[in-house]
Amino acid sequence: MLQTPHQSPQATVVPVQRTSSREQTGPWHSEAVCRRDEAGLFFAPSKEPTAARLSREQAAKRVCARCPVLVECREHALLQPEPYGVWGGLTAAERRVMLARRRRHDAELGQPAQVSRIA
């Protein structure tokens, strides 16, 4: 998960992230399972067939499921927001859905309750 989408799946690098240096050195980065050996699973190669993408994403999610920092990784990806790859067990599309739900929920909490009028 910690490689850029334009690199070969075999390369393992930490991408330039849009976070403060304090966040980048946080303990969750060093504990991430994806830093070890499965980095190619987390980003799609260009022109990846749909069946291959779905299979790769499922394999990445299995890695995430056993990661001790899944929640921190997911929150990072939602707060940034990370536009590519599997982060915290969610694909980019799943993160967009989650963010939309959060926005709706926040908007509902921010609106005053509607009072029904009986005439």
Side-chain angles (χ1 to χ4, degrees):
M1 171 168 65
L2 295 176
Q3 77 179 69
T4 59
H6 303 293
Q7 292 178 308
S8 68
Q10 292 77 26
T12 303
V13 297
V14 177
V16 175
Q17 297 183 9
R18 300 167 301 239
T19 60
S20 69
S21 60
R22 182 180 179 287
E23 289 175 356
Q24 287 183 357
T25 60
W28 78 268
H29 281 279
S30 62
E31 297 298 318
V33 173
C34 61
R35 289 185 65 112
R36 297 186 186 116
D37 58 9
E38 294 104 349
L41 292 176
F42 297 91
F43 291 96
S46 62
K47 300 180 183 178
E48 181 179 34
T50 301
R53 178 183 54 80
L54 293 173
S55 176
R56 179 188 48 73
E57 288 173 348
Q58 286 305 106
K61 288 178 178 187
R62 285 192 297 274
V63 171
C64 291
R66 69 175 203 268
C67 186
V69 294
L70 177 129
V71 172
E72 293 88 344
C73 180
R74 180 177 293 173
E75 283 305 310
H76 161 82
L78 291 168
L79 292 172
Q80 287 309 307
E82 292 291 347
Y84 304 106
V86 174
W87 289 78
L90 299 174
T91 65
E94 291 166 335
R95 290 192 303 276
R96 285 190 297 273
V97 169
M98 183 173 272
L99 285 170
R101 286 181 182 158
R102 282 186 179 183
R103 282 190 297 272
R104 277 194 309 274
H105 181 262
D106 291 347
E108 289 170 1
L109 291 177
Q111 294 178 354
Q114 294 183 1
V115 178
S116 298
R117 290 187 200 173
I118 302 176

